[in-house]
Structure formats: structure tokens, C-alpha cells
Amino acid sequence: MERTLPWSWYVDPEVLRREGERIFAHAWQYAGHTGQLAEDGSYFAAAAGQIPVVVTRAREGDIRAFLNVCRHRGHVVATGAGRRETLQCPYHAWTYGLDGALRAAPRADREPGFDFAELGLQEIAVDSWGPFLFVNPDADAPPLPETLGDVPERVAAIIDLDTLEFRFRTEYEVEASWKIVCENFLECYHCSVAHPGFSAEVDISPDAYRLESDGLTSSQRGPLREHGSSFLVDGEIPHSQFHFVWPNFGINIFPGQANLSCGPILPLSPERTARSLDYFFGPDVEQPWIDELIAFDTQVGNEDTELVTGVQQGVRSGLLAGGRLLTESEQLVAHFQRLCAEALAG
Ligand code: FES
Ligand SMILES: [Fe+2]
């Protein structure tokens, strides 16, 4: 057994502030998918931790990403997604091109020395893996593949990302620290207790369910149970894969037909987290199968929401300093907690 992180870290605003500075300001994070920028002159707003970002494709331009923060007095510039020539800040109407350049600022002509050139949106790093777009607020970040490790290879072994089509996004919020949500994703020790439906289909016994961590990634792989009969056996994917990319990106692939959902785990406040998942399917996957998967996945998601809110209630009580982790079944949680501790100490 080993010790958990101090439970005060799951409620303390100062810890979240330092995580913003030391983790989210320097990490590659999923922002969205290439389908959101399929057309020239499009953009979408996203978040890297609590840092607002905007990803754009200007006319005849490449995909670029910027801090979504007005260089005037700091209002968030873009919201949502769409096609536009420019992004206009809603506060005083400073207007930026999709290339980040400041194009117009009311009354700038009355301001001696107003230098448009130095007031563009601050550019950040952007890169892609298949249809997935990642941003890193740190312009000097190491290349994205170093963060992804062998996750792309593991995914490619069971699914062809190039054929996947985006179908929809789900979004919800939970009353728990982002770290509690990540940790819940990183073990299946709770599965037999809390996910009877999932555990009836996927073999979650410690000998069959594989856990591996390497660098900034963690992977879980669970085979279907023998003699399974549900919709999950109807397809070419033989086992589930759940990947996690530090600090906050989860990927789910269920057995059955070509399916993948992925998205970030975003801190909103020390004890509140936003979760969004983009669902992709193979072009031939039919709606009835998708409906079954959604029902199955929603059930698991609801069960997890109960668990993480319950953990938050316990750790916020403040009377116990921390807990214990199982070294085998919770090794990915331990790996995640080590990365947190290292980042905050560094
Ligand atoms: S804060 Fe954006 S225009 Fe003033
Ligand atoms: Fe779970």
C-alpha cells in the first residue's frame, strides 16, 4: 500500500492555482477535433485547464491557436464556434483576425503611439494526432508525440482513426476536484462494486484486466468475458481500451463496432469539474448500435458521478490527512499522483 496525495490538495484553492501555473500552463491538452475547423475561416473556443484558448483556421491558413484573452483589459474574446472573418471582443470591440492580429480598436486613432503590431492575440502551440487537436499554452513545449507516447500505436492496433467520423459531444459538470475525476478514470478496482453492467460484459478480474503506465500516459485494457451476448460482441473490436494522457485527457474505446470517445477533464474550481466527451464512430456503424453504446456508457458515467461526488464529500471533511492506494490495482492512480506531486514540487 502507498499513501495518497494529501486530501487538502483536493479542496485548497492555492493548490489549484499552482496546478494552473505548473501543470496546465505547460501541458499538451485536447482542445477539439479537426472537423470543427473543416472550413476555411472557422474557429472554436476551448480551455486548457482554466486557460481560455481559441483555435482557428484563417482563410488559406494553417490551424493556429491563441490565448483567448483580449490584449486590452483581458475579456475572453471568442465564445463557442463558427465561421467568421474576425473575432471581436464583446467588451470594447477590439477586433482580431483569425491569424491573431489586432485589426481594429475603436478610438485607437486618438491614441498617440498605439501599436497594433504588438497587441495581437498571444499565440500558443497546437498540433494534431489523427482528428484530435491539442494545444499547449507553453510555446516552448516539447513536441506532442513525446506526450502521447505509445497511445497512438495502441489505438491504431484496433481502430483506424482516419475513418472515424465525429457524431456528437456530451458535456456535464461534477461536484468534485479534477484530480478525483482523473483518479476515478484510472482504476477499475471499483468496477465490480459500482459498475455491475460493465463488469458483466468486460472481464475486470486483476489477471485479465491489464494496467500499464509509461511516461505521461496510462492504459487499461479489458477483454470481453467469454460467452458474452450483448451488443458489445457485435463488431471487430475485441477488448476495451481506456487511455489517459497527462494531465487530463481520457480516451474510451469499447468492444464491438468502431467507436471512440475522448475529452478533457477541466477544473472549474477546486471542487468542481467539467467533463466533455467527443464521440466518434466508423462510417458504417448504425444508429441502433450507437444508441445501445450511449445507454451503456451513460449508465457507467452516472455511476462514476456518484462515486466522485462521494469522494469529494469525504476528503473535504478535513479530519483525515489522506488515504491508501493498492500498489497493483491502483498503480495508475499512484502514477498520476506522482506526476501531480512532482509538478507541484518542481
Ligand atoms: S477588454 Fe477586450 S476590448 Fe476591452
Ligand atoms: Fe468507473
Side-chain angles (χ1 to χ4, degrees):
M1 301 259 271
E2 60 180 275
R3 283 176 190 280
T4 64
L5 293 178
W7 284 351
S8 61
W9 290 17
Y10 298 83
V11 293
D12 185 349
E14 173 57 18
V15 171
L16 182 58
R17 193 194 62 73
R18 279 165 50 212
E19 288 165 348
E21 211 173 81
R22 298 185 180 185
I23 298 173
F24 294 104
H26 302 285
W28 283 102
Q29 292 156 79
Y30 180 80
H33 61 94
T34 48
Q36 290 175 279
L37 300 175
E39 298 179 78
D40 275 2
S42 50
Y43 80 96
F44 66 85
Q50 292 186 290
I51 301 165
V53 301
V54 58
V55 187
T56 69
R57 186 202 287 275
R59 244 171 241 297
E60 283 143 37
D62 294 330
I63 292 178
R64 296 169 76 173
F66 304 90
L67 285 185
N68 188 12
V69 176
C70 185
R71 298 295 304 277
H72 177 219
R73 300 233 318 271
H75 199 287
V76 166
V77 176
T79 45
R83 288 191 76 190
R84 296 183 58 107
E85 288 296 321
T86 56
L87 302 172
Q88 188 173 70
C89 179
Y91 202 170
H92 313 90
W94 284 27
T95 304
Y96 303 87
L98 294 182
D99 59 357
L102 180 62
R103 296 274 180 78
R107 306 186 199 175
D109 55 333
R110 301 168 70 93
E111 231 25 59
F114 190 101
D115 186 357
F116 280 79
E118 67 175 26
L119 291 170
L121 294 176
Q122 183 167 315
E123 189 153 14
I124 63 173
V126 64
D127 201 352
S128 61
W129 157 39
F132 313 134
L133 289 171
F134 295 81
V135 296
N136 191 324
D138 184 350
D140 300 322
L144 175 65
E146 286 181 27
T147 288
L148 297 177
D150 60 7
V151 167
E153 207 176 305
R154 287 170 193 238
V155 169
I158 55 166
I159 209 164
D160 179 2
L161 285 189
D162 294 333
T163 65
L164 287 187
E165 294 172 355
F166 171 79
R167 296 289 176 92
F168 54 89
R169 174 177 290 184
T170 60
E171 294 177 288
Y172 58 96
E173 293 182 10
V174 291
E175 206 65 42
S177 154
W178 72 277
K179 297 195 291 295
I180 288 174
V181 179
C182 292
E183 291 164 7
N184 170 263
F185 183 87
L186 285 167
E187 47 95 356
C188 209
Y189 181 35
H190 69 274
C191 292
S192 61
V193 185
H195 300 312
F198 177 83
S199 304
E201 305 299 336
V202 175
D203 188 347
I204 46 92
S205 64
D207 292 327
Y209 194 88
R210 294 235 308 268
L211 307 171
E212 286 166 88
S213 59
D214 183 33
L216 299 178
T217 69
S218 292
S219 296
Q220 303 172 64
R221 175 179 157 157
L224 278 172
R225 288 191 187 279
E226 279 172 34
H227 316 302
S229 59
S230 77
F231 73 104
L232 295 171
V233 301
D234 169 21
E236 61 285 356
I237 300 180
H239 56 256
S240 59
Q241 285 191 5
F242 305 116
H243 302 285
F244 181 82
V245 180
W246 168 261
N248 68 337
F249 180 53
I251 302 171
N252 309 302
I253 302 170
F254 288 99
Q257 303 193 18
N259 75 92
L260 183 151
S261 61
C262 65
I265 293 163
L266 295 168
L268 297 174
S269 69
E271 301 188 64
R272 195 158 178 88
T273 298
R275 188 85 173 91
S276 82
L277 279 172
D278 287 345
Y279 283 81
F280 301 82
F281 293 92
D284 305 327
V285 182
E286 290 180 353
Q287 196 59 42
W289 193 88
I290 294 176
D291 291 341
E292 285 207 79
L293 182 78
I294 297 316
F296 180 81
D297 199 14
T298 303
Q299 173 69 25
V300 174
N302 291 344
E303 289 160 353
D304 281 325
T305 296
E306 295 273 315
L307 297 174
V308 298
T309 31
V311 172
Q312 190 69 37
Q313 282 169 15
V315 302
R316 83 155 67 100
S317 64
L319 296 173
L320 291 171
R324 294 289 188 281
L325 293 174
L326 300 194
T327 49
E328 184 190 23
S329 294
E330 293 172 307
Q331 56 181 283
L332 306 185
V333 178
H335 178 247
F336 171 80
Q337 295 197 351
R338 273 194 293 279
L339 291 172
C340 286
E342 281 168 20
L344 294 186

